[in-house]
Amino acid sequence: MVIAALALTMAALLIPVRLFEGTAVAGPGGLIVDDGLGTLTTQYGPLTPTDRDFVRKVRSAGLWEGPAGRQAQERGRSETVRIAGNHLVDGHNLLDELAIETGRVLGIELPNQPTAQQRAWLAELEAAPIDRYEVLFANILRRAHGRVFTLVALVRAETQNSLVRELANQANETVLDHITVLENTGLVDYGALDDDGIGSISKRVAGPRSPRRARRTATGCGRRRPDGRPVGRPGGRSTDAPPVPAPGGGRPRVPRRGADRTDPPPHTGDPGEPTT
């Protein structure tokens, strides 16, 4: 009886590990972990491995992003970082309730502790000096939300289960809100979002801004006018040049800086004649 009890205990410990850290990975960017149970029939519609993994990931995200939000509420020095922390806490409280209820109704085993990687991110944020904390917070959390946003879109587009669809709807709204408030801090390094791992973000965001990024900010963030010219760079239209009426009552032209303000004579040849 003792041996049987120990065996059952080991099974109870190992089954969740297999469920939450399975080896069969599918989907965009390796986002989906297949638990091997196939598609199950429920009164709310078919329940696929992708559906189940999504519910687990929503719950798992709240286990570390909620604490990260509370950390930002306490350690954040700027108002925008504290606001982001507030949104993280409130949003994941709501998602946690919905994910737990969805898992209960559909019989999905859910995690109750952050993964080792999630604990490492929380520890990195906790240990960060105060002058680097806010930058790390904004970038680590922004990249994490960007990755889960891809999964939310996939599930929302494909699921046939009404409960999972409801969770995906709420997750879409919440994750987008979190992405927005994190970006509103002004601390997100968008170039670092393309890195292979979140851990590499801390190496990039700690240093000074690159000259290229500084130039883009100084010249209108790289935006261009409809005619292809960059915003804010030399060669734009002169603001003191009055519009010159176009022949035939068309749209007035504003001459370029330094250009002759006298319109050239209109072309009077055959309409089909090529021009140079």
Side-chain angles (χ1 to χ4, degrees), residues 190 209 211-233:
Y190 292 93
R209 298 171 64 188
R212 180 181 178 184
R213 284 170 56 83
R215 286 197 303 270
R216 286 172 63 84
T217 300
T219 57
C221 299
R223 293 174 296 155
R224 291 181 176 273
R225 295 187 175 91
D227 60 5
R229 291 182 295 111
V231 173
R233 292 188 177 178

Side-chain angles (χ1 to χ4, degrees), residues 2-264:
V2 172
I3 293 174
L6 290 174
L8 290 173
T9 302
M10 290 298 297
L13 292 174
L14 292 176
I15 287 175
V17 171
R18 179 168 181 80
L19 286 175
F20 306 136
E21 298 183 5
T23 57
V25 179
L31 288 172
I32 308 303
V33 178
D34 189 341
D35 57 16
L37 299 179
T39 298
L40 305 177
T41 301
T42 76
Q43 68 182 92
Y44 304 97
L47 185 66
T48 67
T50 299
D51 293 334
R52 292 190 295 272
D53 189 59
F54 170 68
V55 178
R56 294 181 186 121
K57 279 187 166 60
V58 171
R59 169 62 174 160
S60 182
L63 291 173
W64 81 279
E65 291 175 8
R70 289 191 290 273
Q71 196 179 81
Q73 290 174 328
E74 297 170 1
R75 299 195 67 194
R77 294 187 296 181
S78 66
E79 183 67 17
T80 55
V81 167
R82 291 194 295 270
I83 288 174
N86 294 340
H87 281 240
L88 286 173
V89 171
D90 293 342
H92 282 291
N93 282 342
L94 177 60
L95 281 181
D96 268 0
E97 293 178 5
L98 191 54
I100 291 172
E101 179 63 15
T102 301
R104 184 191 67 79
V105 174
L106 296 177
I108 303 172
E109 294 280 353
L110 299 180
N112 290 313
Q113 296 293 331
T115 66
Q117 179 64 81
Q118 291 168 346
R119 290 194 297 270
W121 292 330
L122 286 171
E124 181 179 6
L125 290 172
E126 181 66 33
I130 194 64
D131 59 331
R132 292 184 60 223
Y133 168 76
E134 291 191 339
V135 175
L136 286 176
F137 165 78
N139 284 273
I140 291 176
L141 271 297
R142 169 60 179 83
R143 190 178 194 277
H145 280 80
R147 296 189 68 176
V148 76
F149 200 39
T150 304
L151 176 60
V152 173
L154 173 70
V155 172
R156 180 59 185 85
E158 295 184 354
T159 187
Q160 300 179 50
N161 188 283
S162 60
L163 291 185
V164 174
R165 188 179 302 117
E166 181 182 352
L167 178 61
N169 284 336
Q170 184 59 55
N172 180 75
E173 180 180 339
T174 300
V175 173
L176 182 57
D177 172 70
H178 292 175
I179 287 175
T180 301
V181 293
L182 289 165
E183 291 175 347
N184 286 346
T185 65
L187 301 172
V188 173
D189 182 348
Y190 292 93
L193 300 179
D194 297 329
D195 289 344
D196 292 335
I198 294 182
S200 61
I201 288 180
S202 60
K203 298 178 182 179
R204 292 197 51 165
V205 300
R209 298 171 64 188
S210 66
R212 180 181 178 184
R213 284 170 56 83
R215 286 197 303 270
R216 286 172 63 84
T217 300
T219 57
C221 299
R223 293 174 296 155
R224 291 181 176 273
R225 295 187 175 91
D227 60 5
R229 291 182 295 111
V231 173
R233 292 188 177 178
R237 291 178 174 178
S238 172
T239 57
D240 60 351
V244 177
R251 183 179 180 180
R253 281 192 317 107
V254 178
R256 292 191 302 271
R257 183 174 301 178
D260 188 353
R261 298 186 183 179
T262 303
D263 280 319

